Amino acid sequence: MRVRDIDWTTWEPERRATLLFVVRDGHVLLIHKKRGLGAGKINGPGGHIDDGESPLECAVREMEEELGVTPVCIKRCGELRFQFIAGLSLLVHVFRSRDCRGEPQETSEATPLWVPIDQVPFDRMWEDDRHWFPYMLAGEPFEGSFTFDGDSLLDFELSPVG
């Protein structure tokens, strides 16, 4: 399935979610995800947006639930659209924070990892991350569309915004 085969102007996501990354002192806060979509992979804190919740509210709530910290100085970075061959369609709002209050703690959902930004373990992450992550780290707005067959990236389009 190619990205250009999908009419993204009429595409509607089945699920809406967030990712939020704390980037400070040359490191990025990642998680080893223990359950749910992407279990076993390295990712950022985040999850599904609840009814009546804004993407920003969701991003903060998920970080508090998954790591026990509260992000501060949050900036919206990007928007990612995912279409899986099996049918799942997912819209993800990506945020970046300059810091957090508290020390990240392991929970039943995630193990925190402070990783030097020049050592991000892309080989343990979703395949799309290596493409858009540099935009997020640089604080440059972006948007992307991706198609997947299970864990395998089939195609993508990615561009800066603004």
Side-chain angles (χ1 to χ4, degrees):
M1 175 189 317
R2 310 262 326 152
V3 166
R4 67 176 173 256
D5 296 335
I6 298 169
D7 182 354
W8 296 100
T9 62
T10 60
W11 177 86
E12 282 292 324
E14 175 185 337
R15 296 186 196 165
R16 297 173 195 276
T18 62
L19 287 169
L20 194 156
F21 299 90
V22 176
V23 181
R24 75 172 187 209
D25 302 327
H27 289 73
V28 59
L29 179 58
L30 301 175
I31 62 169
H32 181 258
K33 192 164 170 67
K34 295 183 180 181
R35 61 183 185 199
L37 183 65
K41 293 187 184 296
I42 302 296
N43 205 343
H48 301 293
I49 299 173
D50 290 338
D51 289 340
E53 188 176 47
S54 73
L56 178 60
E57 290 167 336
C58 172
V60 171
R61 175 184 55 77
E62 288 286 347
M63 184 164 277
E64 290 173 342
E65 290 176 1
E66 291 182 358
L67 297 177
V69 296
T70 302
V72 296
C73 300
I74 302 167
K75 177 183 171 187
R76 183 181 170 94
C77 288
E79 188 174 280
L80 305 171
R81 294 174 295 277
F82 298 97
Q83 183 62 56
F84 289 78
I85 283 187
L88 174 64
S89 54
L90 181 63
L91 174 65
V92 179
H93 302 272
V94 181
F95 296 89
R96 173 189 162 131
S97 170
R98 287 191 300 149
D99 206 352
C100 59
R101 287 193 299 269
E103 191 60 37
Q105 303 295 317
E106 183 170 358
T107 65
S108 61
E109 294 187 51
T111 303
L113 307 163
W114 282 107
V115 177
I117 58 173
D118 62 351
Q119 297 176 28
V120 175
F122 290 116
D123 60 323
R124 298 176 57 204
M125 300 168 75
W126 284 97
E127 284 185 60
D128 61 285
D129 293 355
R130 70 179 63 249
H131 301 288
W132 60 263
F133 216 79
Y135 285 99
M136 184 278 298
L137 288 173
E140 297 175 15
F142 60 90
E143 62 182 16
S145 300
F146 302 83
T147 56
F148 273 86
D149 184 1
D151 285 355
S152 297
L153 178 63
L154 299 176
D155 191 29
F156 74 95
E157 289 181 359
L158 180 65
S159 59
V161 174

